[in-house]
Structures are given as C-alpha cells and as structure tokens.
Amino acid sequence: MLLSRQRRVLPGFRLTLGFSLFYLGLIVLIPLVAVFAKTGALTWERFWHAAASPVALGAYRLSFGVSFLAALVNAVFGLLVAWVLVRYRFWGRRLMDALVDLPFALPTAVAGVTLAALYAPNGWIGEWLAPYGLKISYTRLGVFVALTFIGLPFVVRTVQPVIEALDLEVEEAAATLGANRFQTFRRVILPALFPALLTGFALAFARALGEYGSVVFISSNLPLRTQIVPVLIMSKLEQFDYAGAAALAAVMLVVSFLLLLAINGLQWRTARHHQQT
Amino acid sequence: MKTVLKILPALVLALAAHARAINLLNVSYDPTREFYEQYNAVFARYWKARTGDTVAVQMSHGGSGKQAQAVINGLDADVVTLALAYDIDQIARQAKLLPPDWQKRLPDNSAPYTSTIVFLVRQGNPKHIKDWNDLVKPGVAVVTPNPKTSGGARWAFLAAWAYALDQYGHDEAKARDFVARLYKNVPVLDTGARGATITFVQHGIGDVLLVWENEAHLAIQEAGAGKFEIVTPSLSILAEPPVAVVDKNAGRHGVLTVAQAYLKYLYSDEGQEIAAKNFYRPRNSKLAARYANRFARLKLVTVEGQFGGWRKAQANFFSDGGIFDQIYQP
Amino acid sequence: METANASGLQRCPTSTLQPFRESLNVPALAPFDAVKNLGRHRPTTEPALVRWLLIVLALLFLALFLVLPLLSVFVQALSKGLGFYVRTLDDPLTWSAIKLTLIAAGISVPMNCLFGVAAAWAIAKFDFAGKQVLTALIDLPFSISPVISGFAYVLVFGAQGWLGPWLAARGIQIIFAVPGIVLVTVFVTFPFVARELIPLMQSQGRAEEEAARTLGARGGQMFWRITLPNIKWGLLYGVILCNARAMGEFGAVSVVSGHIAGRTDTLPLHVEFLYNGYDLTGAFAVASMLTLLALVTLALKAWIERKESSLKL
C-alpha cells in the first residue's frame, strides 16, 4: 500500500496498519486462500462436475430462492416494523425495539432447535397448522421460516434511522398539494426509504445465504428438495469429498464477495445521493 | 541385594503405574452412546483392578463417515468404533494411522458385536408395514438418514437392495427401481442415525423409521411403552460395526496397551453382556444363547456375500455419481 | 433534512454492520406531535384505524417470530421441573462446555478488540491508498458462511492440510482441539469491533488528537486521555456484539470441534449433543442459558444506546 505523502502529526500509523494487515492476513486471508488453492488442485472439468452437479444446482436454487423470498418478506415486514416503531407510540414499544435484535444475539443452534420444535406437527404453532395439511418443520417452508428469522433485524435496523430522519414538512407539503396519505407514502416516503430498504434486503439476503446452524435443525436436508448449499458443503466434508466441498465453497465465497461489494456500493451511493440533495 | 535390584524396577513401575491417570479417546458413531457409557465404566473398573491405573474414556459421536473424516483430519482418536469397515479403511488408507490389515487383528472381522436394520413404526402399525415392499407404497413416509454421511443408512440402503434382488430374481434394474421408489417416500434425510431417530420419535415425522436394531429398542425405552413397535422384515443385512486401535495416535499418547485392552475386553463375557443388554447381538455363543429372545430371527445377508465387500459397495452405490446420487436425480 | 440524513448515513459507505448501530445516532424520540395526539388525524400520519392495524400487524409478526420462540425455550427447558433444570446445568459436561465457551470468547474478544482499535486507528486517522479494499476485506468474515470458515481452517491446520504434518510432527494439535475452536471463533467475530470503531473514529476526525500532540502529549498519553474516552461506548458496543457471537457460534465451531463430550464441546454444541441424546429438555435447558445471555446482550445494548444518545443531546 502506498502512503500518501502527508505530514503526519499522529503517531502509530505504521504500527497499527502493520499489525492490522498481519492479523487480517493470518486470520482471514490465509485460510480463504487455502480454499481456493484446494479448488486450484482440481481440473476445470472436475471443478465443473462438483460445482455444477444436479445436487449442487438444486442446492443453489434452494439457497438463492428461499434466501430471496425470506429477504423479501423481511423487507416488507421489516419496513412495517420499523415504521411502527418510529412513528407510533404504544405500550411495549421499547421492549419490541430491543427484541428486534434477538436473532442476531441468539446462537443459531438455539434458534434452530427452538423453531424446529415450535413448527413440528406437535409443536405450539405446528399443531394448529397440521390439521390443514400444512407442514413447516422439515420442509422448504421450514428453511424459509429459519432464514426469515435470522434476517429479521437487518431491514428494520437499516430502515429505522432513515424513517427517523425523514422530514415531516415534506409530507405536509404533499398533503397540502392534495395528495392523500397513500399517495404520499408511495410517491414521497417510499422513494426516500428505498435505498435503505434495498441495503437491508441485500444484508438479509447475504446473511441467509450463509446460514447453517438454524437451518440444519429445521430442514429435512433432502438433496434437490430441502438441502441448502452450506448443508451440502457440510455433507461433502463429512463424506471424504474435500475437493467437492472446496469447489462449492469457492462458488459461495465469490458470491458473498460480490454481494459485499454490491452492498458497499449501494451504501456509498445512498450516502452520496443524500449528501447531494 | 540382587533380588532387591530385581524387585526395585518392578516396584518403581508399580508405583508409577499407581500414579497414572489415563485418558482414552473413543471416536464412535451415533447409536453407541448409551452402550459405551456403560461399557466405559465397566472397563475402567476392570482396568483399575488389574493395573491400578485410572482410565477415563472420552467419547465423540456422530455419523460414521463424518467421524472417520474427522480422524483423518487429525481428531486425536486412540480407538475408533465405527459403523462399517469402509470408514476405518479410509483412515488406514488416507491418513495411514493404522495398518491396512487392521481388520484381522481382532476376532470376527474386528466386530465384537453385530446388529441389523429393522423398522420402527408407530403403535398399532397404522400403515400395516410388514416388510420392505410395504415401504414403497404411495403414502408411506420412510425416515432414514443420508447414506452419504451415516453408516446405518448405508446398511439400510444395502438391506433394501438385497431384499429387492431376492424378490426380483437378481434383476439389478428392478432393484434399482425399487430402491428409487423407496427413497421417493423419504421426507427427511438427516446426517446421522440419531438425528433420524429424533425426527421420527420426537417430531412425529414419518410412518416408519429404518433403524439400527439397538437404536430401535433404545427409542422404545426412551419414549416409554405404547408408542412405537418394532417390525422385523423378512430379510435384512448383517451389520458388523468394527473397532480398531488407531496405532499412531495411541502410540504417541503412550496408551497403546490400554487401547488394545479396551477393545479386547469388548469380547469378554462382561463386555458381551453389556452389548447384549444394549441390544447389540453378541458374538459369544454362550451369551448369544442367553439373550436369544431379545433378537428376532430373520434372514441376514452379508456385504461380502451379496455386494463383494465394502470398498466395492461404496464405489458402486455411495460415491459421487454412484447409484444413490443417480436415484436422486430429478 | 440534509444534516439529519447526512449524520445518519455518512458512515454507510463502508459498513455492513450498520443496521445494528444506525439507530444510535438519531435521538430516539422524534418530536412528532401528530403521533402524540392519537385522537386527531393530521396530514402527516395515518387514520387511526390504519395505524392500529399496522401496529397489530407488526406486533403479530414480532410475536410469531421473536416472542413465541423466546417463550418456548424457557417453557421447554422447565418442562421437567426446576430440579431437572438445575441438574442439567450442574452436569460436569455442561460445566466443561461453559468453561470452553468462556475460553473461546475470553481469547477471541480481546484479540479482536486489539485488532479493532489498531485497524480503526490506521483507517480512520490516516489516508492511504487501498483503504477501501482493506475496509471491505475486514467485512469479509461477516458475509462468509460459517461452514466455509471452519472448512478453511481444516484445510490449513488439519492433518491433511498445509501445516498439518508440520504441526503433527511437533505434537501440536489445533483442529479438533481447543486452539482450533478459539481460532474459528476469532475468525467469525473478526469484524465486529473494527466495524464499530472505524465509522465512529472517522466521524470524530483527528483534530483532538492532533491538538494533544501539538501540546506535547506522548502517543500513549494521547491514546489514553483523548482517543479511548472518545471511543469507549463504541468499543463496549463492539465488544458486546463480538462476545455474543463468540459464545453463540455453531456452524464454524462444529466443523473443527470433533465433538468430544467434555473436552471440545462448546455450549451451542452441547445443545446439539443433548438434543441428539434423547434429552430434549436438557437441550432446551442449556439453550435457555444461551438465550439468557442473548437477552443480557440486548439489555446492555439498549443501555449503551440510551447512554450515547443522552450524551449527544
């Protein structure tokens, strides 16, 4: 890294940057390079065979599809929750506000066993649905429930501050100009919230893609039907197939990295947009 | 003086031995938890009486294939007690932690107890499941773990295949179709035998569980009477879960002798009795006779006899792109 | 509008952990008279009926997804009585899991703390090329599946991995032992402190520290007297999140643990162990401990948020 030639009054640049780079390299980069190196040992053909086998394709489809749906539901309900928490006053609001972060603080294994028990045919929620033939635990719906749970805080927490910062005068102006409340929401509020909503959606999506702990308990882990990519990687690990696991892991690493770039770009643009207006 | 000199080292050894507390790590598969919990206590008592040393055996349980993989990657097992020989072969082949002929070192193919695959159904057998051909009927939900990770599931898969061969005059295509239809009826594929049992017993999923014989009895004990029944099919497979000392690890830890004794004692009357009490079929004929009423009689085929050994069966059925993968194609 | 939005969003470009923090900056109580007078309908709020409908809908969603699971953990944990609950938690295997969890968190949190402060100092107070890349790389562990991170460590330290044979020859056990568990915990909690501090220190600028230096303060003095007091709440916040994740990590630890009961089982793994041992109630008893920990985390977090916003007001 090139240092810009500025006069530095503050001490410790070399030390802190050096330590950061060393630590980053040791803890994060070397292990990740190992994954790609393992993939590099494969011929292109074998890589393709492992990364694009029907079972793998089924897992991608499920992982991306269900993560997308879960993030979508979180976008809708996260917006609703954020709106209600910011704009309305009601009993228990503060408690709910604090609880929103529960999925983040709760170990995923605990979330997994709890949700699995709750939505099983003999569970608190499952028993109400079972008579209608609706099964959740051990189906795709179960995967969906788990991924919705773990992604819940992201949209709420990205949208909430933006709603708090919204200027009421703009809404008033819209009302003065004859817009009804729904029109104001659609034309004025939603566009202002949209970038944050998209960011929250992307965060929830990224988180859902990598999730393992909660899903493994509530999913039936059937190849092509309810097996998500992290579970497939785990199962490859458990059956002597390191190269296959590495191929899948490399694909997912690239996807995560692209998502991360997209999210950063999105946030950067949002900030610039807001600073300009 | 000479006698003193002779006795002294022995005395020192004995004293040193008294001070020793030995740790053994036994890496095992899923349904052996309860068995080894009891056996470890008994062995510790036996070893203490014989040598004065205190042995604490630590356990690690999981799907058999997964456990073997962990040992290959450095899980520090002194002994492995897995669900099938192929998994220990892999340890010998890939990590070279024990000699390739490990299976000849103990009697009975190094399998001190045997087991088989039976069916566990809900009380009253509402779907009238009597034999393998009832499992492929539409509307029957079969719970079994993933053969890719679970040893028990691989035995179950082969048992179903053997039944189909027997029924359809050794027509491979028909056997394949039969097993494919069976797995179409599987709503949950857990990674280990224990996970599958939990799914079936605790979460009420499925009509029938393909399960280790001992695991089936244990599930009934745990759930209490009047909830589940065991159905014995007309034909099943003789499962021989083998045990082996992981020489290199045990040697490095200096526990080779204890590790060997630990496995050898499984063949003793006491060891065999604990196995029988935990519904593993004992090898010892005297104990087998005494506990005969615990184990249903059925026709048992062997992997060697029917499938030409584990290495062949593994490559044919469970490797990547093998028959199990093929029947899961859409 | 500009100022409020700018302060709310200026940290956005670099952070993905933002959702967690964002609400801090803005005062919790916005002066919405319209909302306070629930009876009258103002143009900037919705009709009462819509309002209540939205509240009920949001509460139903939260109840279904948050409150019910939370309750069910404790109900299931106590379903066999308090005696059974206490016996499960007093079991030697549970104690060893608690111990290991504390070790893993006790090592990884200070390490990542040190890294977080160092990285934030370099990134926030100095300009250098590649800063954006470095910040993105710090976020990386956050977006990687825990299974993959565990696997990556097996590839490096496992017996068949890069360093495996070298380590084995020296009798050093990393994977399937405590060091491996600590290492993957460090990995998965890697970004937490740094991601809290970087935007905070960026927004504070370097004027105060520069003034201290000009007045003759030594590096250490400057850090302890100026920087640390300025960042202490953000640091604490990062530590709490880091700790919650460190104690609760399951996927990555599961890959490298080896599941030796009483030796390499952490609390989340012990939940799985009990769950697989026909002991559902026991599993939920241990799970309830972790849930309590999560609740304490949330309470601390809310406390810090209030502290910070009151400081700002």
Side-chain angles (χ1 to χ4, degrees):
Chain A
M1 283 189 199
L2 285 168
L3 308 179
S4 61
R5 289 183 179 271
Q6 60 177 63
R7 269 191 319 159
R8 281 194 300 270
V9 187
L10 299 181
F13 175 66
R14 275 165 201 280
L15 179 73
T16 53
L17 184 68
F19 173 70
S20 299
L21 290 177
F22 170 73
Y23 190 73
L24 179 77
L26 203 66
I27 298 289
V28 178
L29 297 183
I30 292 180
L32 293 186
V33 166
V35 174
F36 286 104
K38 188 83 191 172
T39 322
L42 295 172
T43 61
W44 176 244
E45 204 176 325
R46 278 200 58 206
F47 174 80
W48 187 250
H49 178 76
S53 68
V55 172
L57 291 179
Y60 298 137
R61 244 194 320 271
L62 184 72
S63 267
F64 285 98
V66 179
S67 299
F68 186 84
L69 281 181
L72 209 59
V73 166
N74 273 325
V76 173
F77 280 91
L79 176 63
L80 173 71
V81 169
W83 182 264
V84 166
L85 286 178
V86 174
R87 284 287 171 102
Y88 306 147
R89 292 293 171 272
F90 53 93
W91 187 82
R93 188 187 64 92
R94 291 195 95 102
L95 186 69
M96 283 302 155
D97 196 7
L99 266 188
V100 164
D101 289 325
L102 181 74
F104 196 91
L106 194 70
T108 52
V110 176
V113 293
T114 310
L115 292 174
L118 214 50
Y119 287 92
N122 52 8
W124 286 0
I125 299 178
E127 66 181 350
W128 292 96
L129 303 172
Y132 306 101
L134 197 60
K135 284 186 206 152
I136 294 195
S137 284
Y138 312 106
T139 65
R140 286 180 179 188
L141 272 177
V143 180
F144 168 77
V145 166
L147 295 184
T148 307
F149 176 82
I150 55 130
L152 196 147
F154 292 93
V155 175
V156 182
R157 291 305 187 221
T158 30
V159 173
Q160 211 173 6
V162 184
I163 298 180
E164 277 168 354
L166 279 183
D167 194 344
L168 276 180
E169 279 171 24
V170 181
E171 291 171 44
E172 272 169 17
T176 323
L177 292 172
N180 66 28
R181 194 60 189 149
F182 179 70
Q183 284 171 324
T184 310
F185 179 77
R186 216 177 60 100
R187 299 275 180 82
V188 178
I189 300 174
L190 202 57
L193 298 183
F194 191 72
L197 201 57
L198 199 62
T199 309
F201 172 85
L203 286 169
F205 181 66
R207 175 80 172 82
L209 270 187
E211 178 57 15
Y212 170 77
S214 59
V215 176
V216 78
F217 287 100
I218 202 174
S219 162
S220 50
N221 308 318
L222 282 172
L224 292 169
R225 265 154 62 192
T226 52
Q227 191 177 48
I228 57 165
V229 181
V231 175
L232 178 62
I233 294 177
M234 194 67 151
S235 113
K236 293 252 178 219
L237 288 184
E238 289 171 356
Q239 51 184 296
F240 311 118
D241 185 9
Y242 268 36
L248 285 166
V251 171
M252 291 310 273
L253 276 178
V254 170
V255 171
S256 332
F257 200 68
L258 291 179
L259 265 172
L260 192 70
L261 284 180
I263 292 167
N264 276 347
L266 209 62
Q267 288 177 331
W268 185 73
R269 276 187 49 179
T270 315
R272 215 177 49 163
H273 175 75
H274 273 276
Q275 270 156 5
Q276 277 166 0
T277 47
Chain B
M1 188 63 200
K2 264 189 178 172
T3 46
V4 172
L5 274 179
K6 266 185 192 163
I7 291 168
L8 204 64
L11 246 170
V12 170
L13 266 178
L15 279 172
H18 268 289
R20 265 182 63 162
I22 302 162
N23 274 317
L24 270 191
L25 176 57
N26 177 356
V27 170
S28 192
Y29 61 113
D30 260 333
T32 57
R33 286 185 191 220
E34 292 72 15
F35 165 59
Y36 277 111
E37 214 174 284
Q38 293 168 29
Y39 175 75
N40 289 344
V42 167
F43 176 75
R45 208 176 312 132
Y46 157 79
W47 194 248
K48 180 106 188 164
R50 222 187 92 176
T51 64
D53 293 349
T54 311
V55 187
V57 185
Q58 282 164 321
M59 299 299 303
S60 168
H61 295 277
S64 183
K66 167 185 157 182
Q67 293 292 76
Q69 188 59 48
V71 174
I72 291 169
N73 279 310
L75 178 57
D76 226 1
D78 298 305
V79 299
V80 283
T81 53
L82 295 179
L84 39 89
Y86 178 80
D87 289 334
I88 302 184
D89 274 340
Q90 287 298 312
I91 301 174
R93 211 166 60 86
Q94 291 191 24
K96 305 198 169 33
L97 294 174
L98 64 167
D101 65 342
W102 62 271
Q103 209 168 2
K104 299 202 181 79
R105 296 193 295 187
L106 285 166
D108 302 315
N109 292 329
S110 286
Y113 38 77
T114 66
S115 190
T116 187
I117 301 293
V118 297
F119 305 160
L120 192 66
V121 297
R122 305 198 182 277
Q123 185 66 29
N125 198 355
K127 296 264 169 140
H128 310 291
I129 291 154
K130 294 270 175 270
D131 208 347
W132 291 97
N133 54 352
D134 295 315
L135 303 183
V136 299
K137 287 180 181 158
V140 174
V142 184
V143 176
T144 178
N146 186 345
K148 292 244 173 187
T149 47
S150 156
R154 273 175 274 176
W155 289 111
F157 183 101
L158 294 181
W161 192 275
Y163 170 85
L165 285 183
D166 192 58
Q167 287 288 301
Y168 300 117
H170 292 265
D171 184 334
E172 292 268 343
K174 282 191 175 153
R176 184 193 175 109
D177 176 59
F178 179 84
V179 174
R181 278 192 290 153
L182 195 160
Y183 276 87
K184 283 242 157 53
N185 280 349
V186 176
V188 186
L189 216 51
D190 287 286
T191 53
R194 190 46 68 83
T197 313
I198 301 280
T199 301
F200 182 78
V201 172
Q202 308 268 19
H203 297 310
I205 303 284
D207 303 307
V208 52
L209 174 72
L210 305 190
V211 59
W212 289 100
E213 185 176 39
N214 64 304
E215 180 87 350
H217 285 282
L218 190 70
I220 288 179
Q221 272 179 9
E222 291 286 335
K227 285 190 178 154
F228 302 100
E229 292 175 16
I230 292 174
V231 171
T232 312
S234 63
L235 175 154
S236 195
I237 195 149
L238 178 73
E240 297 185 307
V243 300
V245 172
V246 185
D247 300 41
K248 282 215 177 138
N249 291 346
R252 189 155 39 85
H253 302 148
V255 294
L256 207 54
T257 332
V258 198
Q260 280 159 352
Y262 177 75
L263 295 185
K264 212 165 162 205
Y265 199 64
L266 284 168
Y267 292 86
S268 71
D269 283 2
E270 202 176 9
Q272 292 280 295
E273 182 144 25
I274 302 169
K277 281 185 178 158
N278 282 283
F279 300 96
Y280 280 100
R281 297 178 177 225
R283 291 285 196 179
N284 178 320
S285 52
K286 188 176 75 191
L287 279 150
R290 191 188 303 163
Y291 285 93
N293 58 348
R294 291 198 146 204
F295 303 103
R297 280 161 184 270
L298 70 165
K299 188 177 167 193
L300 293 173
V301 299
T302 63
V303 173
E304 282 69 30
Q306 189 94 43
F307 300 99
W310 261 113
R311 187 164 290 193
K312 219 174 139 196
Q314 180 79 23
N316 197 8
F317 292 101
F318 307 120
S319 63
D320 250 1
I323 288 175
F324 179 73
D325 276 350
Q326 290 164 26
I327 64 172
Y328 251 104
Q329 306 283 320
Chain C
M1 170 156 188
E2 288 91 280
T3 49
N5 261 340
S7 75
L9 285 164
Q10 74 187 160
R11 303 191 323 231
C12 275
T14 45
S15 170
T16 36
L17 291 177
Q18 212 58 23
F20 236 75
R21 256 308 286 233
E22 199 64 273
S23 52
L24 288 193
N25 255 4
V26 190
L29 287 170
F32 296 141
D33 300 30
V35 190
K36 280 180 187 156
N37 302 333
L38 278 174
R40 283 215 322 265
H41 178 212
R42 293 279 191 89
T44 48
T45 187
E46 291 72 44
L49 185 69
V50 176
R51 231 153 47 212
W52 289 117
L53 204 71
L54 291 181
I55 292 179
V56 167
L57 210 60
L59 287 185
L60 263 179
F61 178 73
L62 292 181
L64 194 70
F65 273 96
L66 298 180
V67 181
L68 215 55
L70 203 57
L71 280 180
S72 98
V73 170
F74 291 101
V75 171
Q76 298 246 30
L78 292 167
S79 64
K80 284 190 186 163
L82 203 61
F84 183 89
Y85 184 78
V86 172
R87 258 201 314 286
T88 303
L89 297 189
D90 201 30
D91 184 83
L93 290 183
T94 311
W95 273 110
S96 88
I98 292 174
K99 227 182 290 168
L100 183 57
T101 304
L102 289 178
I103 290 173
I107 297 176
S108 58
V109 173
M111 275 176 75
N112 285 331
C113 226
L114 194 66
F115 163 75
V117 173
W121 180 259
I123 289 172
K125 306 282 178 184
F126 300 95
D127 292 313
F128 55 92
K131 197 156 139 175
Q132 291 292 334
V133 179
L134 181 61
T135 344
L137 283 178
I138 291 175
D139 272 346
L140 202 54
F142 179 74
S143 62
I144 289 176
S145 178
V147 175
I148 297 180
S149 38
F151 173 48
Y153 273 84
V154 174
L155 286 179
V156 176
F157 295 106
Q160 314 295 313
W162 283 354
L163 298 177
W166 188 87
L167 290 167
R170 281 150 192 80
I172 304 169
Q173 178 88 14
I174 300 234
I175 297 297
F176 307 118
V178 178
I181 290 169
V182 172
L183 274 175
V184 295
T185 309
V186 172
F187 182 97
V188 294
T189 57
F190 184 87
F192 285 76
V193 177
R195 298 309 308 142
E196 284 310 315
L197 293 184
I198 292 171
L200 182 66
M201 282 165 79
Q202 262 169 351
S203 72
Q204 287 169 350
R206 43 195 161 207
E208 284 185 52
E209 277 93 350
E210 280 171 355
R213 288 289 281 176
T214 328
L215 294 174
R218 270 173 292 129
Q221 279 179 321
M222 178 207 67
F223 179 77
W224 290 109
R225 301 256 179 94
I226 309 285
T227 312
L228 199 61
N230 273 342
I231 61 168
K232 66 176 174 203
W233 293 114
L235 186 63
L236 188 60
Y237 196 92
V239 165
I240 287 170
L241 295 186
C242 186
N243 182 60
R245 183 70 196 270
M247 290 192 168
E249 179 51 30
F250 173 74
V253 173
S254 170
V255 176
V256 300
S257 143
H259 305 272
I260 307 168
R263 217 163 83 192
T264 60
D265 266 351
T266 62
L267 277 176
L269 294 177
H270 194 52
V271 172
E272 190 198 23
F273 174 83
L274 292 170
Y275 187 79
N276 280 345
Y278 293 111
D279 189 358
L280 209 57
T281 314
F284 275 105
V286 176
S288 76
M289 277 178 82
L290 286 164
T291 310
L292 275 179
L293 187 80
L295 291 177
V296 169
T297 303
L298 296 187
L300 279 174
K301 189 179 148 287
W303 177 69
I304 294 175
E305 278 170 9
R306 214 187 283 185
K307 198 100 186 165
E308 266 206 343
S309 67
S310 75
L311 278 180
K312 284 220 171 73
L313 282 179

